[in-house]
Amino acid sequence: QVQLVESGGGLVQPGGSLRLSCSASGNIFRVNAMGWYRQALGQQRELVATITYYGRTNYADSVKGRYTISRDGAKNTVYLQMNSLKPEDTAVYYCNADIQRLGVPSGVDYWGKGTLVTVSS
């Protein structure tokens, strides 16, 4: 079994910052790409940021310059530093990872349960 567990969501005022974390655990051989997605109420889930195994990053235009994705390979953990938050950043943020389990030749997509980020005064 493999699990992704997010933490760090909450309520923050506009202009504030939050840091999300997501840790993968279980029968893991290798964690490949990791990323964050978000889904606002009544909207489709959208990509926020991704990071490859080698550290190459990709961001949605709406968060470029404000968010930073990083990872700790030794801990199988991905982080999302969110600065200059806006009310439109309010959403449930989901962690995603391509994980290769022990004894399995290829990776499989896993999702966390999500953590709510609310930006409001």
Side-chain angles (χ1 to χ4, degrees), residues 37-95:
Y37 291 72
R38 67 185 181 186
Q39 187 168 17
L41 194 63
Q43 303 295 317
Q44 289 189 332
R45 190 173 298 188
E46 63 177 3
L47 180 146
V48 175
T50 60
I51 184 166
T52 69
Y53 177 82
Y54 299 103
R56 181 172 296 180
T57 59
N58 179 55
Y59 295 93
D61 287 343
S62 59
V63 306
K64 280 181 182 176
R66 300 189 298 122
Y67 288 15
T68 302
I69 189 171
S70 60
R71 66 188 290 172
D72 184 333
K75 297 181 180 180
N76 289 333
T77 298
V78 63
Y79 305 96
L80 187 67
Q81 178 66 44
M82 305 183 294
N83 299 328
S84 302
L85 283 161
K86 306 174 182 180
E88 52 263 43
D89 294 317
T90 296
V92 177
Y93 284 70
Y94 295 92
C95 176

Short mmCIF file of all heavy atoms in Angstrom, two decimals, residues 37-95:
data_model
loop_
_atom_site.label_atom_id
_atom_site.label_comp_id
_atom_site.label_asym_id
_atom_site.label_seq_id
_atom_site.Cartn_x
_atom_site.Cartn_y
_atom_site.Cartn_z
N TYR A 37 -2.11 19.96 -7.28
CA TYR A 37 -3.26 20.39 -8.05
C TYR A 37 -4.24 21.05 -7.09
O TYR A 37 -4.14 20.86 -5.87
CB TYR A 37 -3.92 19.19 -8.74
CG TYR A 37 -3.09 18.59 -9.83
CD1 TYR A 37 -1.95 17.84 -9.54
CD2 TYR A 37 -3.44 18.76 -11.17
CE1 TYR A 37 -1.17 17.30 -10.55
CE2 TYR A 37 -2.67 18.20 -12.19
CZ TYR A 37 -1.55 17.48 -11.87
OH TYR A 37 -0.78 16.94 -12.87
N ARG A 38 -5.17 21.80 -7.62
CA ARG A 38 -6.18 22.41 -6.75
C ARG A 38 -7.53 22.40 -7.43
O ARG A 38 -7.63 22.39 -8.66
CB ARG A 38 -5.79 23.83 -6.35
CG ARG A 38 -5.79 24.84 -7.49
CD ARG A 38 -5.25 26.18 -6.99
NE ARG A 38 -5.26 27.18 -8.06
CZ ARG A 38 -4.74 28.40 -7.95
NH1 ARG A 38 -4.14 28.76 -6.79
NH2 ARG A 38 -4.79 29.27 -8.94
N GLN A 39 -8.55 22.42 -6.58
CA GLN A 39 -9.91 22.44 -7.09
C GLN A 39 -10.74 23.40 -6.24
O GLN A 39 -10.95 23.16 -5.05
CB GLN A 39 -10.53 21.04 -7.05
CG GLN A 39 -11.88 20.96 -7.71
CD GLN A 39 -12.34 19.53 -7.92
OE1 GLN A 39 -11.82 18.59 -7.32
NE2 GLN A 39 -13.31 19.33 -8.81
N ALA A 40 -11.15 24.48 -6.86
CA ALA A 40 -12.02 25.44 -6.20
C ALA A 40 -13.46 24.97 -6.30
O ALA A 40 -13.81 24.15 -7.16
CB ALA A 40 -11.86 26.81 -6.84
N LEU A 41 -14.30 25.49 -5.43
CA LEU A 41 -15.70 25.08 -5.41
C LEU A 41 -16.35 25.33 -6.76
O LEU A 41 -16.29 26.43 -7.30
CB LEU A 41 -16.43 25.87 -4.32
CG LEU A 41 -17.80 25.35 -3.92
CD1 LEU A 41 -17.69 23.96 -3.33
CD2 LEU A 41 -18.46 26.30 -2.91
N GLY A 42 -16.94 24.29 -7.32
CA GLY A 42 -17.62 24.41 -8.59
C GLY A 42 -16.71 24.45 -9.81
O GLY A 42 -17.20 24.65 -10.93
N GLN A 43 -15.43 24.26 -9.59
CA GLN A 43 -14.47 24.31 -10.69
C GLN A 43 -13.82 22.94 -10.90
O GLN A 43 -13.89 22.06 -10.04
CB GLN A 43 -13.38 25.34 -10.39
CG GLN A 43 -13.89 26.74 -10.13
CD GLN A 43 -14.55 27.35 -11.34
OE1 GLN A 43 -14.04 27.24 -12.46
NE2 GLN A 43 -15.69 28.01 -11.14
N GLN A 44 -13.17 22.80 -12.06
CA GLN A 44 -12.43 21.57 -12.31
C GLN A 44 -11.08 21.62 -11.61
O GLN A 44 -10.54 22.70 -11.33
CB GLN A 44 -12.21 21.41 -13.83
CG GLN A 44 -13.48 21.07 -14.60
CD GLN A 44 -13.19 20.72 -16.04
OE1 GLN A 44 -12.21 21.17 -16.61
NE2 GLN A 44 -14.02 19.88 -16.62
N ARG A 45 -10.55 20.45 -11.35
CA ARG A 45 -9.21 20.37 -10.76
C ARG A 45 -8.20 20.87 -11.78
O ARG A 45 -8.26 20.53 -12.97
CB ARG A 45 -8.89 18.93 -10.36
CG ARG A 45 -7.65 18.79 -9.52
CD ARG A 45 -7.47 17.36 -9.02
NE ARG A 45 -8.57 16.95 -8.16
CZ ARG A 45 -8.59 15.81 -7.46
NH1 ARG A 45 -7.56 14.98 -7.54
NH2 ARG A 45 -9.62 15.51 -6.71
N GLU A 46 -7.24 21.67 -11.31
CA GLU A 46 -6.24 22.24 -12.20
C GLU A 46 -4.84 22.04 -11.64
O GLU A 46 -4.65 21.98 -10.42
CB GLU A 46 -6.50 23.73 -12.42
CG GLU A 46 -6.38 24.58 -11.17
CD GLU A 46 -6.57 26.07 -11.44
OE1 GLU A 46 -6.84 26.45 -12.59
OE2 GLU A 46 -6.41 26.86 -10.49
N LEU A 47 -3.89 21.99 -12.55
CA LEU A 47 -2.49 21.85 -12.16
C LEU A 47 -2.00 23.15 -11.52
O LEU A 47 -2.29 24.24 -12.02
CB LEU A 47 -1.65 21.51 -13.38
CG LEU A 47 -0.15 21.33 -13.17
CD1 LEU A 47 0.39 20.27 -14.13
CD2 LEU A 47 0.61 22.63 -13.39
N VAL A 48 -1.27 23.01 -10.44
CA VAL A 48 -0.63 24.16 -9.80
C VAL A 48 0.88 24.16 -10.09
O VAL A 48 1.42 25.13 -10.60
CB VAL A 48 -0.87 24.15 -8.27
CG1 VAL A 48 -0.09 25.28 -7.60
CG2 VAL A 48 -2.35 24.23 -7.96
N ALA A 49 1.52 23.04 -9.76
CA ALA A 49 2.97 22.95 -9.97
C ALA A 49 3.39 21.48 -9.94
O ALA A 49 2.76 20.67 -9.24
CB ALA A 49 3.72 23.73 -8.90
N THR A 50 4.43 21.18 -10.68
CA THR A 50 5.00 19.84 -10.67
C THR A 50 6.51 19.91 -10.56
O THR A 50 7.12 20.94 -10.89
CB THR A 50 4.63 19.04 -11.93
OG1 THR A 50 5.14 19.73 -13.08
CG2 THR A 50 3.13 18.85 -12.05
N ILE A 51 7.10 18.81 -10.09
CA ILE A 51 8.55 18.72 -10.00
C ILE A 51 8.96 17.30 -10.37
O ILE A 51 8.37 16.33 -9.87
CB ILE A 51 9.05 19.13 -8.60
CG1 ILE A 51 10.57 19.13 -8.54
CG2 ILE A 51 8.43 18.25 -7.51
CD1 ILE A 51 11.13 19.84 -7.30
N THR A 52 9.93 17.18 -11.24
CA THR A 52 10.37 15.86 -11.67
C THR A 52 11.30 15.24 -10.64
O THR A 52 11.72 15.89 -9.67
CB THR A 52 11.10 15.93 -13.02
OG1 THR A 52 12.36 16.60 -12.83
CG2 THR A 52 10.27 16.66 -14.06
N TYR A 53 11.65 14.00 -10.88
CA TYR A 53 12.59 13.30 -10.00
C TYR A 53 13.91 14.06 -9.93
O TYR A 53 14.58 14.08 -8.90
CB TYR A 53 12.81 11.89 -10.54
CG TYR A 53 13.82 11.07 -9.77
CD1 TYR A 53 13.47 10.41 -8.60
CD2 TYR A 53 15.13 10.95 -10.23
CE1 TYR A 53 14.39 9.65 -7.90
CE2 TYR A 53 16.06 10.19 -9.54
CZ TYR A 53 15.67 9.54 -8.37
OH TYR A 53 16.59 8.79 -7.67
N TYR A 54 14.27 14.71 -11.06
CA TYR A 54 15.55 15.41 -11.12
C TYR A 54 15.45 16.88 -10.71
O TYR A 54 16.42 17.61 -10.79
CB TYR A 54 16.13 15.29 -12.53
CG TYR A 54 16.38 13.85 -12.92
CD1 TYR A 54 15.51 13.16 -13.76
CD2 TYR A 54 17.47 13.16 -12.40
CE1 TYR A 54 15.74 11.84 -14.09
CE2 TYR A 54 17.71 11.84 -12.72
CZ TYR A 54 16.84 11.18 -13.57
OH TYR A 54 17.06 9.87 -13.89
N GLY A 55 14.24 17.30 -10.32
CA GLY A 55 14.08 18.64 -9.78
C GLY A 55 13.61 19.69 -10.77
O GLY A 55 13.58 20.87 -10.43
N ARG A 56 13.25 19.29 -11.96
CA ARG A 56 12.74 20.27 -12.93
C ARG A 56 11.32 20.63 -12.54
O ARG A 56 10.50 19.76 -12.28
CB ARG A 56 12.78 19.70 -14.34
CG ARG A 56 12.29 20.68 -15.40
CD ARG A 56 12.54 20.15 -16.80
NE ARG A 56 13.97 20.02 -17.06
CZ ARG A 56 14.48 19.59 -18.21
NH1 ARG A 56 13.66 19.22 -19.18
NH2 ARG A 56 15.77 19.51 -18.37
N THR A 57 11.04 21.92 -12.55
CA THR A 57 9.73 22.40 -12.08
C THR A 57 8.90 22.99 -13.21
O THR A 57 9.42 23.45 -14.23
CB THR A 57 9.90 23.45 -10.98
OG1 THR A 57 10.66 24.55 -11.49
CG2 THR A 57 10.62 22.87 -9.77
N ASN A 58 7.60 23.00 -12.97
CA ASN A 58 6.64 23.58 -13.91
C ASN A 58 5.52 24.20 -13.09
O ASN A 58 5.08 23.62 -12.09
CB ASN A 58 6.08 22.50 -14.84
CG ASN A 58 5.07 23.06 -15.82
OD1 ASN A 58 5.37 23.99 -16.55
ND2 ASN A 58 3.87 22.51 -15.82
N TYR A 59 5.07 25.40 -13.49
CA TYR A 59 4.05 26.10 -12.74
C TYR A 59 2.91 26.57 -13.65
O TYR A 59 3.12 26.92 -14.81
CB TYR A 59 4.64 27.35 -12.06
CG TYR A 59 5.68 27.05 -11.02
CD1 TYR A 59 7.03 27.02 -11.35
CD2 TYR A 59 5.32 26.83 -9.70
CE1 TYR A 59 7.99 26.76 -10.39
CE2 TYR A 59 6.27 26.57 -8.72
CZ TYR A 59 7.61 26.53 -9.08
OH TYR A 59 8.55 26.27 -8.13
N ALA A 60 1.72 26.62 -13.07
CA ALA A 60 0.62 27.29 -13.75
C ALA A 60 0.92 28.78 -13.81
O ALA A 60 1.55 29.33 -12.91
CB ALA A 60 -0.68 27.05 -12.99
N ASP A 61 0.49 29.42 -14.89
CA ASP A 61 0.76 30.85 -15.04
C ASP A 61 0.21 31.65 -13.86
O ASP A 61 0.80 32.66 -13.46
CB ASP A 61 0.13 31.36 -16.34
CG ASP A 61 0.87 30.88 -17.57
OD1 ASP A 61 2.03 30.44 -17.42
OD2 ASP A 61 0.30 30.94 -18.67
N SER A 62 -0.89 31.20 -13.30
CA SER A 62 -1.56 31.96 -12.24
C SER A 62 -0.77 32.00 -10.94
O SER A 62 -1.04 32.84 -10.07
CB SER A 62 -2.95 31.38 -11.97
OG SER A 62 -2.84 30.02 -11.60
N VAL A 63 0.22 31.11 -10.79
CA VAL A 63 0.98 31.07 -9.54
C VAL A 63 2.46 31.37 -9.73
O VAL A 63 3.21 31.44 -8.74
CB VAL A 63 0.82 29.70 -8.83
CG1 VAL A 63 -0.66 29.37 -8.63
CG2 VAL A 63 1.53 28.60 -9.58
N LYS A 64 2.90 31.53 -10.96
CA LYS A 64 4.31 31.82 -11.21
C LYS A 64 4.75 33.07 -10.47
O LYS A 64 4.07 34.09 -10.47
CB LYS A 64 4.55 32.00 -12.71
CG LYS A 64 4.67 30.70 -13.48
CD LYS A 64 4.92 30.96 -14.96
CE LYS A 64 4.98 29.65 -15.73
NZ LYS A 64 5.13 29.88 -17.20
N GLY A 65 5.91 32.95 -9.82
CA GLY A 65 6.45 34.08 -9.07
C GLY A 65 5.92 34.18 -7.65
O GLY A 65 6.44 34.95 -6.85
N ARG A 66 4.88 33.42 -7.34
CA ARG A 66 4.31 33.45 -5.98
C ARG A 66 4.48 32.11 -5.25
O ARG A 66 4.64 32.08 -4.04
CB ARG A 66 2.82 33.79 -6.05
CG ARG A 66 2.53 35.14 -6.68
CD ARG A 66 1.06 35.52 -6.52
NE ARG A 66 0.17 34.57 -7.19
CZ ARG A 66 -0.80 33.90 -6.58
NH1 ARG A 66 -1.00 34.04 -5.28
NH2 ARG A 66 -1.57 33.07 -7.28
N TYR A 67 4.41 31.01 -6.00
CA TYR A 67 4.52 29.68 -5.42
C TYR A 67 5.87 29.06 -5.78
O TYR A 67 6.40 29.30 -6.87
CB TYR A 67 3.43 28.76 -5.97
CG TYR A 67 2.03 29.02 -5.50
CD1 TYR A 67 1.65 30.20 -4.86
CD2 TYR A 67 1.04 28.06 -5.70
CE1 TYR A 67 0.35 30.41 -4.45
CE2 TYR A 67 -0.27 28.24 -5.29
CZ TYR A 67 -0.61 29.43 -4.68
OH TYR A 67 -1.90 29.63 -4.27
N THR A 68 6.37 28.23 -4.87
CA THR A 68 7.59 27.47 -5.13
C THR A 68 7.38 26.03 -4.70
O THR A 68 7.02 25.77 -3.55
CB THR A 68 8.78 28.06 -4.37
OG1 THR A 68 8.96 29.43 -4.74
CG2 THR A 68 10.05 27.29 -4.69
N ILE A 69 7.63 25.12 -5.64
CA ILE A 69 7.55 23.69 -5.33
C ILE A 69 8.96 23.16 -5.12
O ILE A 69 9.90 23.56 -5.81
CB ILE A 69 6.82 22.92 -6.45
CG1 ILE A 69 6.54 21.48 -6.01
CG2 ILE A 69 7.59 22.97 -7.77
CD1 ILE A 69 5.62 20.73 -6.98
N SER A 70 9.09 22.27 -4.15
CA SER A 70 10.39 21.65 -3.89
C SER A 70 10.14 20.25 -3.34
O SER A 70 9.01 19.90 -3.00
CB SER A 70 11.20 22.48 -2.89
OG SER A 70 10.52 22.60 -1.65
N ARG A 71 11.22 19.47 -3.27
CA ARG A 71 11.07 18.12 -2.76
C ARG A 71 12.28 17.69 -1.97
O ARG A 71 13.39 18.18 -2.21
CB ARG A 71 10.77 17.13 -3.89
CG ARG A 71 11.88 16.94 -4.88
CD ARG A 71 11.43 16.09 -6.06
NE ARG A 71 11.22 14.70 -5.68
CZ ARG A 71 10.67 13.78 -6.49
NH1 ARG A 71 10.28 14.13 -7.71
NH2 ARG A 71 10.50 12.53 -6.09
N ASP A 72 12.05 16.75 -1.07
CA ASP A 72 13.12 16.11 -0.30
C ASP A 72 13.07 14.64 -0.67
O ASP A 72 12.20 13.90 -0.21
CB ASP A 72 12.91 16.32 1.19
CG ASP A 72 14.04 15.75 2.03
OD1 ASP A 72 14.69 14.79 1.58
OD2 ASP A 72 14.26 16.27 3.14
N GLY A 73 14.00 14.21 -1.52
CA GLY A 73 14.00 12.84 -2.00
C GLY A 73 14.16 11.81 -0.90
O GLY A 73 13.54 10.75 -0.94
N ALA A 74 14.96 12.14 0.08
CA ALA A 74 15.22 11.19 1.16
C ALA A 74 13.96 10.95 2.00
O ALA A 74 13.80 9.88 2.59
CB ALA A 74 16.34 11.70 2.05
N LYS A 75 13.08 11.94 2.04
CA LYS A 75 11.86 11.83 2.83
C LYS A 75 10.63 11.55 1.99
O LYS A 75 9.53 11.46 2.53
CB LYS A 75 11.65 13.13 3.63
CG LYS A 75 12.72 13.43 4.64
CD LYS A 75 12.42 14.72 5.39
CE LYS A 75 13.49 15.03 6.41
NZ LYS A 75 13.20 16.29 7.15
N ASN A 76 10.82 11.43 0.66
CA ASN A 76 9.67 11.23 -0.24
C ASN A 76 8.58 12.28 0.01
O ASN A 76 7.39 11.97 0.08
CB ASN A 76 9.07 9.82 -0.09
CG ASN A 76 9.98 8.74 -0.64
OD1 ASN A 76 10.77 8.99 -1.55
ND2 ASN A 76 9.90 7.56 -0.09
N THR A 77 9.03 13.51 0.14
CA THR A 77 8.14 14.60 0.51
C THR A 77 8.24 15.74 -0.50
O THR A 77 9.34 16.07 -0.95
CB THR A 77 8.46 15.12 1.91
OG1 THR A 77 8.25 14.06 2.86
CG2 THR A 77 7.56 16.29 2.28
N VAL A 78 7.10 16.31 -0.83
CA VAL A 78 7.06 17.48 -1.71
C VAL A 78 6.43 18.63 -0.93
O VAL A 78 5.54 18.42 -0.10
CB VAL A 78 6.27 17.18 -3.00
CG1 VAL A 78 4.81 16.85 -2.72
CG2 VAL A 78 6.38 18.32 -4.00
N TYR A 79 6.91 19.82 -1.20
CA TYR A 79 6.45 21.01 -0.51
C TYR A 79 5.91 22.02 -1.52
O TYR A 79 6.32 22.04 -2.69
CB TYR A 79 7.59 21.67 0.27
CG TYR A 79 8.29 20.75 1.23
CD1 TYR A 79 9.47 20.10 0.86
CD2 TYR A 79 7.78 20.52 2.50
CE1 TYR A 79 10.11 19.25 1.73
CE2 TYR A 79 8.42 19.68 3.38
CZ TYR A 79 9.58 19.04 2.99
OH TYR A 79 10.22 18.19 3.87
N LEU A 80 5.02 22.86 -1.05
CA LEU A 80 4.53 23.98 -1.86
C LEU A 80 4.52 25.22 -0.99
O LEU A 80 3.69 25.34 -0.07
CB LEU A 80 3.14 23.71 -2.42
CG LEU A 80 2.62 24.75 -3.42
CD1 LEU A 80 3.45 24.69 -4.71
CD2 LEU A 80 1.14 24.54 -3.73
N GLN A 81 5.45 26.11 -1.24
CA GLN A 81 5.50 27.39 -0.54
C GLN A 81 4.64 28.38 -1.31
O GLN A 81 4.90 28.63 -2.50
CB GLN A 81 6.93 27.90 -0.43
CG GLN A 81 7.05 29.26 0.25
CD GLN A 81 6.66 29.22 1.71
OE1 GLN A 81 7.03 28.30 2.44
NE2 GLN A 81 5.90 30.23 2.15
N MET A 82 3.63 28.91 -0.65
CA MET A 82 2.68 29.81 -1.30
C MET A 82 2.78 31.19 -0.66
O MET A 82 2.50 31.33 0.54
CB MET A 82 1.26 29.26 -1.17
CG MET A 82 1.10 27.84 -1.69
SD MET A 82 -0.59 27.24 -1.63
CE MET A 82 -0.85 27.19 0.14
N ASN A 83 3.18 32.17 -1.44
CA ASN A 83 3.32 33.54 -0.96
C ASN A 83 2.35 34.45 -1.71
O ASN A 83 1.82 34.10 -2.75
CB ASN A 83 4.75 34.03 -1.16
CG ASN A 83 5.76 33.22 -0.41
OD1 ASN A 83 5.48 32.69 0.67
ND2 ASN A 83 6.96 33.09 -0.96
N SER A 84 2.15 35.63 -1.15
CA SER A 84 1.27 36.63 -1.78
C SER A 84 -0.07 36.02 -2.17
O SER A 84 -0.55 36.20 -3.29
CB SER A 84 1.96 37.23 -3.01
OG SER A 84 3.20 37.81 -2.67
N LEU A 85 -0.65 35.32 -1.25
CA LEU A 85 -1.90 34.60 -1.53
C LEU A 85 -3.04 35.55 -1.82
O LEU A 85 -3.14 36.64 -1.23
CB LEU A 85 -2.23 33.66 -0.37
CG LEU A 85 -1.40 32.38 -0.35
CD1 LEU A 85 -1.43 31.73 1.02
CD2 LEU A 85 -1.89 31.42 -1.41
N LYS A 86 -3.91 35.11 -2.72
CA LYS A 86 -5.06 35.89 -3.15
C LYS A 86 -6.34 35.11 -2.86
O LYS A 86 -6.31 33.88 -2.78
CB LYS A 86 -4.98 36.15 -4.66
CG LYS A 86 -3.69 36.78 -5.13
CD LYS A 86 -3.66 36.86 -6.64
CE LYS A 86 -2.35 37.46 -7.15
NZ LYS A 86 -2.33 37.53 -8.63
N PRO A 87 -7.46 35.79 -2.73
CA PRO A 87 -8.72 35.06 -2.50
C PRO A 87 -8.99 34.00 -3.57
O PRO A 87 -9.54 32.93 -3.27
CB PRO A 87 -9.77 36.18 -2.53
CG PRO A 87 -9.04 37.38 -2.06
CD PRO A 87 -7.65 37.24 -2.62
N GLU A 88 -8.57 34.26 -4.79
CA GLU A 88 -8.80 33.28 -5.86
C GLU A 88 -7.91 32.04 -5.75
O GLU A 88 -8.08 31.10 -6.53
CB GLU A 88 -8.63 33.93 -7.24
CG GLU A 88 -7.33 34.69 -7.42
CD GLU A 88 -7.49 36.18 -7.18
OE1 GLU A 88 -8.18 36.56 -6.19
OE2 GLU A 88 -6.91 36.97 -7.97
N ASP A 89 -6.99 32.03 -4.81
CA ASP A 89 -6.20 30.83 -4.55
C ASP A 89 -6.94 29.85 -3.63
O ASP A 89 -6.47 28.73 -3.41
CB ASP A 89 -4.86 31.19 -3.90
CG ASP A 89 -3.96 31.99 -4.81
OD1 ASP A 89 -3.87 31.66 -6.00
OD2 ASP A 89 -3.35 32.98 -4.32
N THR A 90 -8.07 30.28 -3.11
CA THR A 90 -8.86 29.42 -2.24
C THR A 90 -9.30 28.16 -2.98
O THR A 90 -9.90 28.24 -4.06
CB THR A 90 -10.10 30.17 -1.72
OG1 THR A 90 -9.67 31.26 -0.90
CG2 THR A 90 -11.00 29.25 -0.91
N ALA A 91 -8.98 27.01 -2.41
CA ALA A 91 -9.28 25.73 -3.06
C ALA A 91 -8.84 24.59 -2.14
O ALA A 91 -8.14 24.81 -1.16
CB ALA A 91 -8.55 25.62 -4.40
N VAL A 92 -9.25 23.40 -2.52
CA VAL A 92 -8.67 22.20 -1.92
C VAL A 92 -7.44 21.85 -2.75
O VAL A 92 -7.53 21.74 -3.98
CB VAL A 92 -9.66 21.02 -1.90
CG1 VAL A 92 -8.98 19.78 -1.33
CG2 VAL A 92 -10.89 21.39 -1.07
N TYR A 93 -6.33 21.71 -2.10
CA TYR A 93 -5.07 21.41 -2.77
C TYR A 93 -4.77 19.92 -2.60
O TYR A 93 -4.77 19.40 -1.48
CB TYR A 93 -3.95 22.25 -2.18
CG TYR A 93 -3.98 23.68 -2.67
CD1 TYR A 93 -4.99 24.55 -2.27
CD2 TYR A 93 -3.02 24.16 -3.56
CE1 TYR A 93 -5.05 25.86 -2.73
CE2 TYR A 93 -3.06 25.47 -4.03
CZ TYR A 93 -4.08 26.31 -3.61
OH TYR A 93 -4.13 27.60 -4.08
N TYR A 94 -4.50 19.28 -3.73
CA TYR A 94 -4.24 17.84 -3.76
C TYR A 94 -2.79 17.58 -4.16
O TYR A 94 -2.28 18.17 -5.12
CB TYR A 94 -5.15 17.15 -4.76
CG TYR A 94 -6.62 17.21 -4.40
CD1 TYR A 94 -7.42 18.24 -4.88
CD2 TYR A 94 -7.19 16.24 -3.59
CE1 TYR A 94 -8.76 18.31 -4.56
CE2 TYR A 94 -8.55 16.29 -3.27
CZ TYR A 94 -9.32 17.32 -3.77
OH TYR A 94 -10.65 17.37 -3.46
N CYS A 95 -2.21 16.63 -3.47
CA CYS A 95 -0.87 16.15 -3.81
C CYS A 95 -1.00 14.98 -4.79
O CYS A 95 -1.91 14.15 -4.67
CB CYS A 95 -0.17 15.70 -2.54
SG CYS A 95 1.45 14.98 -2.79
#
